């Protein structure tokens, strides 16, 4: 009796887990290019995307310069071009060259800028 | 054209005055330009001095604000309140000169100057080496102390005014110095006339008296004609002598005003000039109303004589002279050569003549003008070249009259 009940519970959990996995996958597929291509890797890094944005802002200042430098780096990642610290680069290295199309890259960078831009957040 | 309405007691002739006025106007204009330029430089130097004095404090404020921005950058977005200070306002712009955030009261921004005035504020710009929050340009704004402005303005007005005044005095001195040769030549001519006048009296009087005394009834017509010519010539010289006498002595003596019957006086003067007029076959047309005026008879006679004399002198042969006398005015119109309108104001100057072809010293109308002004009358000249000239003397309506 106990064995049967335990089996039913495990089967139920397994089915729930499968349904849950389907839901996350669908969510990622239906989200924007930034969510699909940036978040998955960066969520495992100690420095958040927001801090990286602030580093870009500190070096490149304006919207055009930030976006252009970001795109240039993503197309051809280079240690010398990176805004991250030596310590970070030693630990995590530099990313692989992006395989996003120009349009996708443009869209991702625009989303990134709009998400973390400081202008509308200062009070 | 109304030539004169006011009495002019100055010794300067109108041409001399004109030169004086033109030179002084140009001189004062240049002095004002110089003062304005110097004032502008002085104002700018004072402004720069004031800004230099403010630079130190503004630089300290900028350092403080950069430090605050650095802290905010580090803690953003946990902290998102833009750093404010009671002593100053500030704004940050990115490298593309796009505004990131501002608390400035006066939003006009100049990226080309480190420190400048705008409205009643002073702006100070600082470039950031590290672009905290994306800011490359930091602007600090403080209220302007207006004391320097008021002090500078007062200094400019006072010093500028004194400079213009002193240089104006110098200008007046210089212009008198430059005009001295012209004045001396006029004085020389005056003295010459004065000296020669004394020598004219006796011979002219003798000629006229002897012509009058001659018994013309027994003279042959050919001699009568010659005598008439002598009479005309003598009267012309006599008229000139009287003008010169007036010029040299007349204006220095006291006027003996009395009631003068103008109608009778004009008639007698016309009769006097008839011989002269007939020599050019000029006829008179008189329309004379009864009019008495309270004036020096010698002076009004000089006015009438000179106007009639000119009307004869500048008339054409077989021309006409119309003389009109009313309660308000006395008019002499000729059918002569006329004068251009632009030359009319100068015709009353001493030693100026209608043209060089006629004789004379050019003193007749100057005497007329002086007498007219002395009695506060007005004189009006209307002339058409080759048609004639009309000169009208308006009596002073406030003067005693019958």
């Amino acid at each position: 009796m106990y064995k049967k009940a335990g089996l039913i519970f495990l089967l139920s959990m397994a089915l729930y887990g499968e349904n849950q996995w389907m839901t996350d996958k669908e969510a990622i597929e239906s989200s924007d290019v930034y969510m699909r291509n940036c978040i998955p890797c960066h969520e495992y890094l100690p420095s958040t995307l927001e801090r990286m944005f602030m580093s870009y802002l500190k070096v490149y200042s304006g919207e055009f310069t930030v976006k252009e430098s970001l795109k240039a780096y993503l197309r051809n990642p280079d240690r010398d071009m990176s805004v991250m610290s030596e310590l970070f680069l030693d630990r995590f290295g530099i990313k692989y060259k992006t395989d996003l199309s120009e349009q996708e890259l443009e869209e991702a960078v625009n989303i990134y800028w709009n998400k973390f831009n400081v202008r509308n957040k200062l009070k | 054209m109304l030539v004169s309405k006011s009495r002019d007691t100055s010794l300067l002739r109108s041409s001399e005055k004109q030169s004086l006025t033109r030179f002084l106007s140009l001189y004062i204009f240049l002095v004002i330009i110089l003062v304005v330029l110097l004032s502008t430089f002085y104002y700018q130097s004072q402004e720069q001095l004031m800004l230099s004095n403010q630079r130190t404090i503004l630089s300290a404020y900028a350092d403080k604000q950069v430090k605050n921005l650095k802290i905010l950058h580090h803690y953003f977005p946990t902290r998102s309140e833009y750093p404010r200070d009671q002593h100053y306002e500030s704004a940050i712009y990115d490298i593309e000169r796009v505004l990131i955030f501002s608390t400035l009261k006066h939003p006009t921004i100049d990226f080309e100057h480190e420190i400048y005035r705008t409205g009643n504020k002073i702006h100070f710009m600082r470039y950031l080496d590290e672009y905290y929050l994306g800011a490359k340009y930091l602007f600090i704004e403080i209220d302007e102390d207006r004391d320097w402005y008021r002090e500078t303005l007062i200094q400019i007005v006072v010093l500028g005014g004194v400079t213009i005044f002193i240089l104006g005095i110098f200008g007046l001195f210089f212009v008198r110095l430059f005009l001295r040769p012209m004045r001396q030549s006029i004085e020389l001519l005056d003295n010459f006339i004065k000296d020669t006048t004394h020598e004219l009296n006796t011979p002219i009087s003798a000629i006229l008296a002897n012509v009058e005394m001659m018994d013309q009834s027994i003279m042959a017509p050919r001699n009568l004609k010659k005598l008439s010519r002598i009479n005309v010539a003598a009267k012309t010289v006599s008229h000139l002598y009287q003008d010169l006498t007036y010029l040299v002595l007349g204006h220095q003596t006291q006027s003996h005003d009395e009631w003068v019957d103008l109608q009778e006086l004009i008639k007698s003067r016309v009769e006097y000039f008839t011989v002269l007029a007939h020599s050019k076959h000029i006829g008179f047309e008189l329309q004379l109303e009864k009019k008495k005026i309270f004036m020096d008879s010698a002076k009004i006679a000089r006015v009438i004589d000179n106007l009639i004399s000119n009307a004869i002198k500048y008339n054409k042969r077989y021309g006409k002279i119309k003389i009109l006398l009313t309660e308000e005015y006395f008019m002499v119109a000729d059918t002569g050569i006329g004068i251009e309108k632009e030359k009319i104001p100068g015709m009353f100057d001493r030693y100026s003549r209608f043209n060089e072809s006629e004789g004379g010293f050019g003193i007749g109308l100057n005497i007329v003008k002086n007498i007219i002004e002395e009695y506060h009358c007005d004189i009006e000249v209307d002339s058409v070249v080759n048609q004639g000239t009309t000169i009208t003397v308006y009596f002073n309506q406030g003067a005693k009259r019958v």
Side-chain angles (χ1 to χ4, degrees):
Chain A
M1 180 64 188
Y2 286 112
K3 280 184 179 176
K4 198 180 262 183
L7 189 63
I8 291 167
F9 175 75
L10 284 171
L11 279 170
S12 301
M13 288 302 291
L15 279 172
Y16 173 77
E18 189 180 2
N19 287 339
Q20 186 64 38
W21 178 80
M22 288 297 287
T23 305
D24 287 346
K25 192 181 174 187
E26 280 171 7
I28 289 171
E29 280 175 355
S30 63
S31 66
D32 55 47
V33 64
Y34 167 76
M35 290 284 282
R36 286 198 308 272
N37 297 286
C38 306
I39 300 290
C41 295
H42 275 275
E43 66 184 345
Y44 297 111
L45 292 173
S47 180
T48 63
L49 274 165
E50 185 157 33
R51 287 323 304 168
M52 287 185 179
F53 181 86
M54 294 306 284
S55 298
Y56 262 96
L57 210 53
K58 197 166 90 170
V59 174
Y60 294 106
S61 178
E63 180 178 354
F64 178 79
T65 43
V66 166
K67 284 179 178 178
E68 288 305 307
S69 58
L70 193 55
K71 281 189 280 185
Y73 181 78
L74 292 174
R75 281 189 208 110
N76 293 300
D78 182 11
R79 193 181 176 92
D80 295 334
M81 282 177 65
S82 176
V83 296
M84 300 310 289
S85 66
E86 287 293 324
L87 195 66
F88 180 89
L89 293 173
D90 288 344
R91 173 74 179 85
F92 299 101
I94 55 170
K95 72 182 289 298
Y96 294 109
K97 210 172 177 179
T98 184
D99 55 359
L100 292 175
S101 67
E102 279 300 311
Q103 193 182 344
E104 285 174 323
L105 187 62
E106 183 82 31
E107 194 183 335
V109 168
N110 284 340
I111 293 167
Y112 185 51
W113 171 266
N114 292 332
K115 192 171 176 64
F116 298 113
N117 177 25
V118 301
R119 269 166 216 175
N120 301 325
K121 294 171 188 162
L122 286 170
K123 294 183 283 191
Chain B
M1 179 179 288
L2 199 59
V3 173
S4 171
K5 280 199 169 195
S6 63
R7 179 179 170 82
D8 183 7
T9 55
S10 171
L11 289 172
L12 292 172
R13 295 172 68 215
S14 68
S15 60
E16 201 175 347
K17 272 186 185 171
Q18 204 175 30
S19 303
L20 188 76
T21 312
R22 281 180 183 168
F23 175 84
L24 272 181
S25 304
L26 184 65
Y27 180 80
I28 295 291
F29 176 70
L30 291 174
V31 166
I32 288 172
I33 286 181
L34 184 71
V35 168
V36 168
L37 277 175
L38 290 174
S39 301
T40 309
F41 290 140
Y42 180 68
Y43 176 83
Q44 285 175 344
S45 69
Q46 289 298 103
E47 185 183 35
Q48 286 306 315
L49 186 68
M50 180 276 295
L51 290 175
S52 298
N53 292 336
Q54 297 288 351
R55 193 189 299 269
T56 312
I57 191 166
L58 281 162
S59 188
Y61 288 155
D63 290 342
K64 186 178 176 186
Q65 189 67 4
V66 170
K67 204 175 285 180
N68 291 336
L69 289 172
K70 186 178 181 180
I71 294 166
L72 182 62
H73 182 93
H74 184 74
Y75 288 105
F76 193 85
T78 312
R79 292 182 198 171
S80 60
E81 193 165 347
Y82 182 79
R84 290 169 171 82
D85 194 288
Q86 59 176 341
H87 298 106
Y88 59 85
E89 304 295 337
S90 67
I92 47 175
Y93 287 77
D94 69 19
I95 200 167
E96 292 148 24
R97 297 185 175 182
V98 177
L99 177 68
I100 298 170
F101 195 83
S102 173
T103 62
L104 298 183
K105 297 282 189 283
H106 203 280
T108 309
I109 291 298
D110 182 1
F111 288 93
E112 307 306 323
H113 293 94
E114 185 191 14
I115 187 165
Y116 58 91
R117 291 170 60 229
T118 174
N120 291 331
K121 308 287 183 188
I122 298 170
H123 282 181
F124 176 78
M125 183 182 68
R126 164 71 60 84
Y127 294 105
L128 270 65
D129 296 327
E130 290 184 289
Y131 309 144
Y132 302 119
L133 300 169
K136 173 168 173 70
Y137 303 97
L138 166 66
F139 285 89
I140 301 292
E141 180 187 85
I142 59 168
D143 289 328
E144 183 191 351
D145 179 9
R146 300 288 286 177
D147 286 349
W148 77 272
Y149 180 77
R150 280 185 287 274
E151 282 172 19
T152 306
L153 215 59
I154 289 167
Q155 284 168 350
I156 284 174
V157 168
V158 172
L159 291 175
V162 169
T163 308
I164 289 172
F165 178 75
I166 291 172
L167 290 178
I169 298 288
F170 273 115
L172 202 63
F173 171 74
F174 284 133
V175 80
R176 285 188 182 278
L177 203 67
F178 297 147
L179 289 176
R180 192 174 290 167
M182 192 165 90
R183 187 189 285 268
Q184 280 171 344
S185 65
I186 291 168
E187 282 172 3
L188 197 69
L189 191 57
D190 277 349
N191 289 334
F192 171 75
I193 290 169
K194 196 174 178 179
D195 295 340
T196 50
T197 303
H198 290 297
E199 306 302 323
L200 279 174
N201 188 19
T202 313
I204 294 298
S205 302
I207 293 167
L208 283 173
N210 282 294
V211 167
E212 290 293 323
M213 282 189 296
M214 277 185 176
D215 188 356
Q216 296 179 13
S217 60
I218 58 165
M219 290 180 83
R222 201 174 58 182
N223 290 336
L224 263 177
K225 204 170 179 181
K226 286 175 182 169
L227 184 67
S228 174
R229 284 178 189 154
I230 293 168
N231 199 10
V232 167
K235 281 187 173 176
T236 305
V237 178
S238 173
H239 172 70
L240 181 60
Y241 164 75
Q242 285 167 21
D243 274 352
L244 292 173
T245 308
Y246 175 83
L247 201 68
V248 175
L249 303 168
H251 61 276
Q252 294 170 356
T253 56
Q254 189 75 28
S255 290
H256 300 289
D257 292 347
E258 57 187 330
W259 286 109
V260 180
D261 187 338
L262 266 186
Q263 191 188 45
E264 285 304 314
L265 183 64
I266 292 169
K267 277 181 184 171
S268 72
R269 299 323 295 165
V270 167
E271 194 182 328
Y272 177 82
F273 281 105
T274 301
V275 180
L276 198 62
H278 283 174
S279 67
K280 287 177 78 174
H281 305 283
I282 294 166
F284 282 98
E285 182 190 330
L286 306 180
Q287 287 180 22
L288 308 174
E289 291 178 13
K290 274 278 178 196
K291 168 73 180 173
K292 284 189 176 180
I293 189 164
F294 196 74
M295 274 183 81
D296 186 314
S297 59
K299 287 183 178 176
I300 189 66
R302 298 287 358 106
V303 173
I304 294 165
D305 277 11
N306 273 303
L307 294 182
I308 294 173
S309 166
N310 276 347
I312 295 169
K313 193 190 289 181
Y314 296 105
N315 215 328
K316 294 169 185 165
R317 291 178 73 81
Y318 299 98
K320 204 168 71 175
I321 296 171
K322 185 178 177 181
I323 302 177
L324 201 64
L325 175 67
T326 70
E327 184 65 29
E328 287 81 29
Y329 62 87
F330 159 60
M331 185 191 87
V332 178
D334 65 51
T335 54
I337 55 172
I339 185 171
E340 290 91 348
K341 284 212 180 320
E342 58 270 22
K343 289 184 180 173
I344 290 175
M347 65 194 275
F348 291 92
D349 289 345
R350 191 183 291 185
Y351 309 127
S352 75
R353 286 181 282 165
F354 280 98
N355 61 40
E356 301 297 322
S357 65
E358 298 294 335
F361 287 95
I363 53 175
L365 284 178
N366 183 253
I367 290 170
V368 170
K369 182 191 165 197
N370 289 339
I371 296 170
I372 292 298
E373 286 178 346
E374 185 183 340
Y375 286 92
H376 304 288
C377 297
D378 291 336
I379 188 162
E380 196 177 81
V381 180
D382 189 22
S383 187
V384 179
V385 175
N386 291 327
Q387 286 189 24
T389 303
T390 302
I391 299 184
T392 311
V393 175
Y394 292 94
F395 304 122
N396 176 16
Q397 297 301 312
K400 294 173 189 172
R401 58 190 165 133
V402 174

